[in-house]
Amino acid sequence: MTRPAACGSGRWAGHWQQRADVVVIGTGVAGLVAALAAYRRGRNVMVLSKTPKLVGTTATFYAQGGIAVVLPDAMREDGDSVEAHVADTLAAGAGLCDPDAVRSIVADGYRAVLELVDDGARFDEAAPGSWSLTREGGHSRRRIIHAGGDATGAEVQRTLDAAAAALDIRHNHIAVEILHEAGAVTGVLVLNDDGPGVVHAPSVILATGGLGHLYSATTNPDGSTGDGVALAMWAGQPVSELEFIQFHPTMLFDGHNAGRRPLITEAVRGEGAILVDSQGRSVTDGVHPMGDLAPRDVVAAAIHARIEETGAPCVFLDARRIDGFIKRFPTVTAACRAAGIDPTLEAIPVVPGAHYSCGGVVTDLHGGTDLAGLFAAGEVAHTGLHGANRLASNSLLEGLVIGRRAGKAAAAHALAAGPVMARPPQPAVRRALPRAELQRAMSKNAGVVRDGHGLGILAKELDTARPRVIGSRADFEDVALTTAAGAVAAAALSRTESRGCHHRRDYPDTDSAQARSLLAAGACC
């Protein structure tokens, strides 16, 4: 396939300008799969990344566990089926999943994985020609394929980076506003080293990942600052279920309490590791029938409660019974050793850490939004798959499936719409809190367990945000974080119950009358 002609260039309202058919914002699994799908349909695709060209800048790269996928009959273990995977996903989602969306995405998983294999991905094998399968929390069957032991995300990212070598990928390009007119996308306002400019394009795909850096400590890379949620809200698009922020139960505790921290993949528990407190007692006994393999929200809440009860800074994951631990989990081993811990000789100290946004920009099953030409895929999107709590290893699955669909849909829209011309936007006032201040407030008042009093305090702090001129990546991220934090706080205040990974201390029970998604309208400024 020949590469499309380079985008045209020139000046626009005193700034640089370029053109594309499809602009993809983000270079993780959803973004690159979407970009490749559009490119392979002959469209002129530009991919924007706000980061330098470095390894390890996407959440995809850090994904350890694997991809949840139901294999064909001859390759399955334990009598697995699409319906069994659907049932596990619905159970984890605590009544808020869209069953049709779940079934559609799960049923399309194996095809999506095969396309990744066609691009060069290689997964661990139990025997030649037979993928090795593991089990994670909330899964009733062993259906998780993995690569490099616990380096699945790195293999997915490597594969897609290689396939995307033909794409026009622009690093240090920050998308600061989605431009639109008469109900349709016209382009993206971008900030790069040359200053502000515009990319005129009829189709834009948000694939910006999550918002883990709303919190002081997270498993997410530095770029996970809620950008896509903010961009969509500023474009007037609704978001949903942002109160459901999944805290991974087992983030490595190494004495540091800020920035990105390594997670200890759920597959460690799937292979037999057990959670104990500082006194050696099981953390999950009597909490859930699946014990340490209960859904993530259950395990994270149990750990949080035990830490509060004992006053200890962490609990422990004892993996010493796992044979061949170093070979099966080389990434975890390296992280532990970097912190001075030998997981083959001592239990691993862990705490819950901000990990995944189960909600996001409301889309259909092809990534489409209510704004013609605007699509979203991956963690930034709300498709109805995750509900109130994401099932382990369903994230890479969703990125592969919806990323491809969004890329195809964006390509088709661009072809039908033809070239567009964006007009200069009206100046908008964006407000931001200093990042450290915001993270402290979110960690204290909107963490694993929250209540109305703390959320009210948080809302008042967010109201003190001051206008910020966006002149750098840091400025934009602070503004995006503040916008996303406001949406999270409002959603958490509105949901006066405990459900999935949203735990209200003042409303500890689940309310059947609230088994519905809460929409938050976008704001143009």
Side-chain angles (χ1 to χ4, degrees):
M1 178 180 294
T2 59
R3 181 172 178 162
C7 299
S9 61
R11 307 298 294 176
W12 177 83
H15 302 304
W16 61 265
Q17 62 175 324
Q18 298 203 339
R19 290 188 173 278
D21 296 325
V22 178
V23 174
V24 179
I25 307 172
T27 54
V29 58
L32 292 185
V33 167
L36 287 166
Y39 171 77
R40 288 165 177 170
R41 281 154 184 80
R43 302 282 70 79
N44 189 336
V45 179
M46 182 187 294
V47 182
L48 305 181
S49 170
K50 65 180 180 179
T51 66
K53 192 174 183 180
L54 299 171
V55 174
T57 59
T58 69
T60 296
F61 176 83
Y62 291 104
Q64 293 180 4
I67 304 172
V69 60
V70 178
L71 303 181
D73 291 347
M75 301 171 66
R76 297 176 186 172
E77 290 187 12
D78 302 329
D80 198 12
S81 66
V82 167
E83 289 307 312
H85 190 176
V86 169
D88 290 345
T89 301
L90 294 176
L96 291 189
C97 296
D98 178 336
D100 292 336
V102 173
R103 188 166 289 102
S104 173
I105 294 170
V106 166
D108 208 13
Y110 182 61
R111 179 212 52 76
V113 168
L114 286 185
E115 287 200 355
L116 191 64
V117 171
D118 287 343
D119 277 331
R122 296 293 177 263
F123 296 99
D124 297 338
E125 296 183 332
S130 177
W131 285 333
S132 175
L133 302 177
T134 192
R135 183 182 169 201
E136 295 183 354
H139 288 273
S140 60
R141 306 285 193 276
R142 296 176 71 89
R143 64 169 69 98
I144 315 299
I145 62 173
H146 47 84
D150 57 358
T152 307
E155 173 64 6
V156 171
Q157 191 71 56
R158 180 201 66 77
T159 300
L160 292 173
D161 284 345
L167 299 178
D168 179 8
I169 299 179
R170 308 292 182 94
H171 290 275
N172 293 316
H173 278 56
I174 305 156
V176 297
E177 187 170 344
I178 306 300
L179 304 176
H180 56 95
E181 186 175 352
V185 165
T186 56
V188 185
L189 185 64
V190 179
L191 184 66
N192 67 11
D193 293 339
D194 294 324
V198 70
V199 181
H200 305 279
S203 291
V204 173
I205 303 174
L206 299 172
T208 54
L211 37 70
H213 282 269
L214 285 174
Y215 297 89
S216 299
T218 176
T219 65
N220 292 184
D222 290 343
S224 297
T225 52
D227 302 0
V229 166
L231 289 169
M233 292 185 70
W234 298 335
Q237 294 307 291
V239 295
S240 182
E241 298 184 358
L242 288 180
E243 66 269 37
F244 298 110
I245 294 175
Q246 186 178 83
F247 288 78
H248 197 287
T250 52
M251 182 176 69
L252 180 65
F253 177 76
D254 58 3
H256 297 284
N257 59 1
R260 194 195 78 80
R261 313 306 314 145
L263 66 81
I264 308 300
T265 173
E266 201 141 3
V268 174
R269 280 175 283 140
E271 296 298 334
I274 59 173
L275 283 163
V276 296
D277 63 17
S278 56
Q279 300 171 28
R281 302 175 299 168
S282 169
V283 171
T284 61
D285 268 359
V287 172
H288 191 280
M290 297 180 77
D292 289 346
L293 286 176
R296 288 177 173 176
D297 63 302
V298 175
V299 179
I303 292 173
H304 182 271
R306 190 60 61 87
I307 288 173
E308 284 196 331
E309 174 191 328
T310 62
C314 63
V315 297
F316 297 88
L317 184 63
D318 191 345
R320 289 175 289 185
R321 65 176 67 187
I322 299 176
D323 292 333
F325 182 92
I326 295 174
K327 181 178 181 181
R328 174 64 180 86
F329 300 108
T331 305
V332 170
T333 300
C336 289
R337 287 179 170 172
I341 301 158
D342 186 341
T344 66
L345 299 177
E346 56 191 315
I348 305 167
V350 294
V351 293
H355 183 57
Y356 193 89
S357 174
C358 297
V361 182
V362 177
T363 73
D364 61 24
L365 291 179
H366 295 273
T369 70
D370 289 341
L371 179 61
L374 181 63
F375 302 82
E379 187 174 353
V380 70
H382 173 266
T383 62
L385 174 64
H386 305 307
N389 185 47
R390 176 176 67 88
L391 184 65
S393 287
N394 270 358
S395 51
L396 291 177
L397 167 72
E398 184 184 41
L400 291 170
V401 171
I402 302 299
R404 177 177 180 269
R405 293 181 185 178
K408 291 174 61 179
H413 176 81
L415 181 62
V420 296
M421 176 64 71
R423 295 186 182 185
Q426 293 296 318
V429 176
R430 309 292 189 210
R431 298 180 181 275
L433 282 182
R435 185 175 308 197
E437 181 180 330
L438 181 144
Q439 290 173 334
R440 283 193 298 270
M442 286 292 293
S443 298
K444 181 178 180 179
N445 297 309
V448 178
V449 179
R450 58 282 291 262
D451 58 39
H453 177 70
L455 290 167
I457 292 173
L458 173 61
K460 290 179 180 178
E461 290 192 55
L462 293 172
D463 284 343
T464 67
R466 300 179 65 82
R468 177 81 66 88
V469 175
I470 299 176
S472 67
R473 173 181 166 181
D475 291 329
F476 171 74
E477 289 183 340
D478 284 358
V479 166
L481 282 167
T482 302
T483 298
V488 170
L493 268 170
S494 296
R495 186 168 292 281
T496 52
E497 63 164 351
S498 290
R499 181 186 296 272
C501 52
H502 169 71
H503 298 275
R504 285 283 296 261
R505 186 179 287 107
D506 47 348
Y507 292 98
D509 298 324
T510 299
D511 178 6
S512 59
Q514 297 188 51
R516 65 188 187 281
S517 297
L518 303 177
L519 289 178
C524 64
C525 56

